[in-house]
Amino acid sequence: MANYPFELLKLVSYLRKLPGVGAKTAERFAFQLLEWDSQLLVQFGNLLSNIKNKIHFCETCGCLREEECLFCSSQRNSTQICVISSAKDVYSIEETKAFQGFYHVTHGLLSPLEGKTAEHLHLEKLKKRIQDHEIKEAILALDSTIEGDTTALYLKQELSKLGLSVTRLALGLPMGSTIHFVDGGTLARAFIGRQRF
Ligand SMILES: [Zn+2]
């Protein structure tokens, strides 16, 4: 790396921790920040230093909350729980307005190579909620990747023992797609997940 001032190198090294930000982009961001007005930098710095005091992960479901958790409210349908791997996913699902039940965030997927084992999925907490609320269906809304498939299979095995129905989001043709341009894996999944029409 160039012979930048030490504090600038430190800033670059922090920025590089962000996903998708390589050395060149981090340097560009750092130089851009130096162009910012001092007051704006102070506001940004204050926001960063307080963010963990203002936003928390809900102790029950793992979604983000400020005060009360909006996703654990008694107004919600308590017979279904949707399992997601990131607190970010809840916002996409809420936007569809297709689901009104509870959520459980696993904060990651099974990935033995990255040291993500079953203990990381907070499964005991999930099982307890299923039993306490007498939940009838667990909907697995996990990525369609090797890690997502492995996690879904593991959760299916574990949760089925509790006697509830375990479902997974249908995987199939993207909206507006043409069969000719869909890849083989997606088409195969669409066949497996076909439903009565
Ligand atoms: Zn919650």
Side-chain angles (χ1 to χ4, degrees):
M1 197 176 292
N3 191 19
Y4 295 139
F6 182 63
E7 293 295 317
L8 184 61
L9 288 175
K10 277 208 299 199
L11 179 57
V12 169
S13 74
Y14 277 112
L15 292 168
R16 283 194 67 177
K17 291 178 187 291
L18 294 168
V21 177
K24 289 285 168 206
T25 307
E27 287 173 30
R28 198 154 50 86
F29 286 173
F31 274 92
Q32 183 63 44
L33 284 168
L34 290 178
E35 298 286 335
W36 282 20
D37 186 72
S38 299
Q39 202 188 347
L40 191 60
L41 280 175
V42 169
Q43 286 168 354
F44 186 37
N46 287 340
L47 177 77
L48 283 181
S49 59
N50 279 316
I51 200 94
K52 285 273 199 176
N53 298 325
K54 303 268 187 190
I55 303 174
H56 309 272
F57 288 110
C58 169
E59 295 75 8
T60 307
C61 70
C63 294
L64 293 179
R65 66 168 177 84
E66 284 176 285
E67 300 295 331
E68 292 288 292
C69 175
L70 299 175
F71 309 111
C72 284
S73 126
S74 55
Q75 314 287 321
R76 301 191 69 100
N77 173 354
S78 62
T79 63
Q80 293 176 317
I81 195 161
C82 180
V83 181
I84 50 181
S85 64
S86 158
K88 190 168 176 290
D89 297 341
V90 72
Y91 300 97
S92 310
I93 296 172
E94 287 289 292
E95 246 173 59
T96 69
K97 300 197 187 329
F99 179 72
Q100 273 90 39
F102 290 137
Y103 289 97
H104 173 84
V105 185
T106 60
H107 293 289
L109 296 167
L110 289 180
S111 176
L113 290 178
E114 289 172 25
K116 279 271 185 187
T117 54
E119 297 85 72
H120 292 85
L121 302 178
H122 309 279
L123 198 57
E124 289 312 311
K125 201 186 269 186
L126 174 60
K127 284 182 175 174
K128 188 167 182 330
R129 285 179 81 199
I130 287 172
Q131 285 167 329
D132 289 353
H133 289 279
E134 297 179 3
I135 284 168
K136 305 274 183 291
E137 181 183 6
I139 302 164
L140 309 179
L142 302 171
D143 294 349
S144 175
T145 57
I146 291 173
E147 288 84 4
D149 289 351
T150 311
T151 311
L153 200 61
Y154 176 75
L155 289 173
K156 180 176 177 264
Q157 284 167 354
E158 287 297 311
L159 300 182
S160 297
K161 293 177 193 162
L162 302 177
L164 80 168
S165 153
V166 181
T167 58
R168 189 170 181 198
L169 291 193
L171 305 165
L173 302 177
M175 288 285 283
S177 61
T178 312
I179 297 281
H180 181 68
F181 288 108
V182 171
D183 71 276
T186 304
L187 198 53
R189 285 292 186 94
F191 262 99
I192 294 165
R194 71 189 184 279
Q195 39 186 275
R196 195 171 290 279
F197 179 62

